[in-house]
Amino acid sequence: MHKILFLSDLHLCAAGETIIGLNPSARTKAVLDAAIADHADADAMILLGDLAHRGEHEAYRDLQRQITDLPMPVIPMMGNHDRRDVFLQVFTDAPKTAEGHIQHVFDLGNTRIITLDSLDGPPYVDTDHAGKICPARMAFLDTALAARDGRQAIVCIHHPPFDTGIAGMDKIKLTDGDGFLDTLAQHGNLHLICGHIHRTMSGFARGVPWSMFKSPCHQGVLDLQSPNSHLSSNEPGAYGIALLTQNGVVVHSEDVGLQDRQLFGGYTTKG
Ligand SMILES: [Fe+2]
């Protein structure tokens, strides 16, 4: 059985900077250490975008240092906080399309994995964090799904193409998400994995099952009313795991850094 690790929304910064008092570099290291300690046998690791907090060159260098010795290939994706040109200055060998998008397709056994780039720009507008899939990126997706020789698929994109009920984030979801979902639904036999929300969630949209994970760093807040897209909490960091089976995909999420975590081999009863 093949296995893929996921880290979502690392938000790495320049050295010494923090986000809501958390150090993104240290939090990423802690999650990577925990994920590799238990899953060094994973076939790949996918980073679901927002690698850097403000597209900083220094943040991408930090990421490069942290993943360089990992025992599996790492596939980075773009999120709304990333800057494609700065990323490519550091990750010079990153797979990119003829149009310059950071997208990748690979197969693990009976599963095709497709990672997409939903960063809107250039030009980049710092006040607009919504995502975009242009005709070229849609064509890339359509071709990759059409040519998979009967394989099941995992499709990864940073921006959810659906409303989550978290009002602040729904304002900055994927633009034309319905068209994107219709393409996925027409192809079928796939699972969609998104970033952006910084929470463990699952559901289905237009018949397409989806999952998302918490961040190694700061987490989203379950506030269904607030229009603020920056609400964050300092809950533990986390990573995700997809197990690729003969009949589909099993998705797990694991928290890291629970200070009082204890493991028990059986129940204890009183009296
Ligand atoms: Fe994010």
Side-chain angles (χ1 to χ4, degrees):
M1 183 160 52
H2 291 286
K3 181 192 289 186
I4 305 175
L5 297 173
F6 292 89
L7 267 66
S8 183
D9 295 85
L10 287 63
H11 286 260
L12 294 165
C13 298
E17 283 191 35
T18 60
I19 300 174
I20 63 164
L22 307 174
N23 181 322
S25 183
R27 298 268 294 202
T28 291
K29 182 178 186 315
V31 169
L32 284 173
D33 287 350
I36 298 304
D38 287 345
H39 305 287
D41 61 339
D43 298 279
M45 176 183 291
I46 294 175
L47 308 178
L48 290 160
D50 283 1
L51 311 173
H53 191 49
R54 296 188 197 85
E56 305 96 319
H57 189 275
E58 190 177 340
Y60 294 122
R61 291 295 306 273
D62 182 18
L63 176 62
Q64 189 179 50
R65 278 191 296 271
Q66 295 213 39
I67 65 175
T68 192
D69 290 326
L70 295 184
M72 69 283 292
V74 179
I75 298 96
M77 292 168 49
M78 293 288 96
N80 44 294
H81 285 262
D82 290 304
R83 292 294 174 261
R84 213 177 278 116
D85 51 340
V86 184
F87 167 81
L88 286 168
Q89 290 169 10
V90 177
F91 290 88
T92 53
D93 296 332
K96 68 174 196 281
T97 65
E99 295 81 14
H101 300 119
I102 312 301
Q103 305 195 126
H104 191 42
V105 180
F106 63 103
D107 296 330
L108 288 172
N110 66 330
T111 306
R112 169 153 290 191
I113 296 96
I114 304 166
T115 61
L116 299 173
D117 178 342
S118 58
L119 173 58
D120 189 3
Y124 302 112
V125 181
D126 284 339
T127 52
D128 183 7
H129 287 275
K132 181 177 180 179
I133 283 285
C134 58
R137 285 176 272 190
M138 280 295 293
F140 177 96
L141 170 66
D142 200 37
T143 300
L145 286 173
R148 58 183 154 147
D149 292 331
R151 290 180 177 87
Q152 57 193 16
I154 292 178
V155 176
C156 303
I157 187 168
H158 181 75
H159 291 82
F162 45 79
D163 283 332
T164 61
I166 299 175
M169 298 305 292
D170 290 344
K171 294 188 309 180
I172 53 171
K173 64 184 177 183
L174 185 72
T175 304
D176 191 22
D178 285 350
F180 177 78
L181 283 167
D182 284 344
T183 296
L184 296 183
Q186 284 162 14
H187 285 282
N189 194 22
L190 54 83
H191 192 89
L192 177 66
I193 296 184
C194 306
H196 200 44
I197 309 296
H198 298 225
R199 289 191 62 84
T200 308
M201 298 171 64
S202 62
F204 74 88
R206 294 191 176 224
V208 176
W210 57 264
S211 304
M212 57 180 76
F213 306 112
K214 288 202 277 187
S215 159
C217 192
H218 53 297
Q219 310 308 348
V221 176
L222 186 56
D223 186 323
L224 304 183
Q225 312 298 332
S226 173
N228 183 351
S229 63
H230 299 292
L231 291 177
S232 300
S233 85
N234 60 352
E235 295 164 39
Y239 65 94
I241 308 163
L243 303 177
L244 315 182
T245 74
Q246 284 304 309
N247 299 312
V249 176
V250 178
V251 178
H252 295 273
S253 177
E254 177 78 333
D255 285 356
V256 173
L258 295 171
Q259 299 302 321
D260 57 354
R261 185 185 191 218
Q262 293 177 282
L263 301 179
F264 297 89
Y267 297 117
T268 56
T269 53
K270 266 188 175 178

